[in-house]
Amino acid sequence: MLLLKSTSDAPAHNCALEASFLTTEPLAREALLFYINRPAVLVGRNQCIEAEVDTAYCRAHGIEIIRRISGGGAVYHDYGNINYAFICDRGATPLLDMDFATPVMAALQSFGIRATVGARKELLVNGRKISGTASHMTRGRLLFHGTLLHRTHPEHLSCALQGNPALRGRCVASIPSPVANLSDLTGTTETTMEFLARLIRFFSVYYDTEPMEV
């Protein structure tokens, strides 16, 4: 079991890192990867960018637009958002919980945050989304990744994800939900990097493994 933290803030690099562990690692090689991206919108593989994203707003505010390999809706990333990715073999029973929400909820509960799982495998606190998730399967391997909103910029999140639905056609639509930042729910002053450090310490104990930077 690998517990990894990316040293890059480039969304394209971190997407490629996920894909690399998904497709090139030996079967039964399992990983939990954490990373924080600079401002970006990541669009699902079956979506029309213009239907889901205000591309002019993104250009004006230096927000990159990246298409990821997993399905689902478009999500906004910035330095206040933590991303996690579980990668494992589909064939054997992995060390990771196949219900990937379980360890994330356990981590949050240890911090005093009680989350529940929504209909689309998102994590909710008091009915507000704190984590959106998506998955991708290939070559006998599974990627399950998600966001954790900690101190995400609410205006950029809202404005960047305002596309033109008339252009959607048969492409997959994003489903908007009311969201909440974990920092607002807990009332703490810690930075997102400090919160990430606590998460990594939790999972180091949870999976009995030492974290590494990649």
Side-chain angles (χ1 to χ4, degrees):
M1 167 63 180
L2 300 175
L3 178 57
L4 308 171
K5 175 181 176 291
S6 173
T7 59
S8 175
D9 68 352
H13 173 90
N14 288 321
C15 284
L17 198 59
E18 288 180 338
S20 174
F21 277 99
L22 182 68
T23 60
T24 65
E25 286 294 309
L27 292 182
R29 182 81 158 177
E30 296 162 343
L32 170 55
L33 170 69
F34 286 99
Y35 58 91
I36 294 177
N37 283 332
R38 58 184 177 242
V41 173
L42 275 73
V43 180
R45 65 179 298 172
N46 298 313
Q47 291 194 293
C48 169
I49 291 174
E50 291 77 9
E52 310 303 330
V53 183
D54 186 334
T55 56
Y57 182 90
C58 289
R59 285 194 300 271
H61 292 84
I63 300 170
E64 298 179 46
I65 302 172
I66 304 290
R67 188 179 295 280
R68 63 178 190 270
I69 63 174
S70 61
V75 292
Y76 173 76
H77 290 183
D78 63 14
Y79 290 114
N81 174 74
I82 294 168
N83 302 284
Y84 59 89
F86 291 96
I87 303 157
C88 68
D89 178 14
R90 291 173 57 196
T93 301
L95 294 173
L96 303 173
D97 296 306
M98 287 305 288
D99 175 9
F100 296 110
T102 298
V104 178
M105 288 193 299
L108 294 175
Q109 185 166 343
S110 75
F111 303 158
I113 303 165
R114 289 189 171 271
T116 58
V117 181
R120 295 179 297 278
K121 298 185 180 179
E122 74 276 27
L123 296 184
L124 306 168
V125 175
N126 298 328
R128 292 184 171 269
K129 185 165 69 173
I130 59 165
S131 175
T133 67
S135 61
H136 181 68
M137 292 180 287
T138 183
R139 298 185 184 180
R141 301 273 283 169
L142 171 64
L143 165 68
F144 181 91
H145 54 186
T147 61
L148 274 175
L149 302 176
H150 183 255
R151 290 187 182 276
T152 297
H153 194 297
E155 181 180 353
H156 287 338
L157 184 154
S158 176
C159 293
L161 299 180
Q162 295 292 331
N164 182 354
L167 302 175
R168 183 171 293 132
R170 297 188 178 183
C171 295
V172 172
S174 298
I175 302 177
S177 303
V179 300
N181 275 320
L182 291 170
S183 60
D184 294 331
L185 295 173
T186 60
T188 60
T189 59
E190 68 182 342
T191 67
T192 300
M193 289 300 294
E194 290 169 340
F195 186 81
L196 174 57
R198 282 208 291 155
L199 271 178
I200 291 174
R201 286 195 297 272
F202 174 90
F203 282 106
S204 179
V205 174
Y206 190 91
Y207 289 121
D208 189 23
T209 188
E210 290 297 316
M212 297 183 295
E213 291 188 341
V214 291

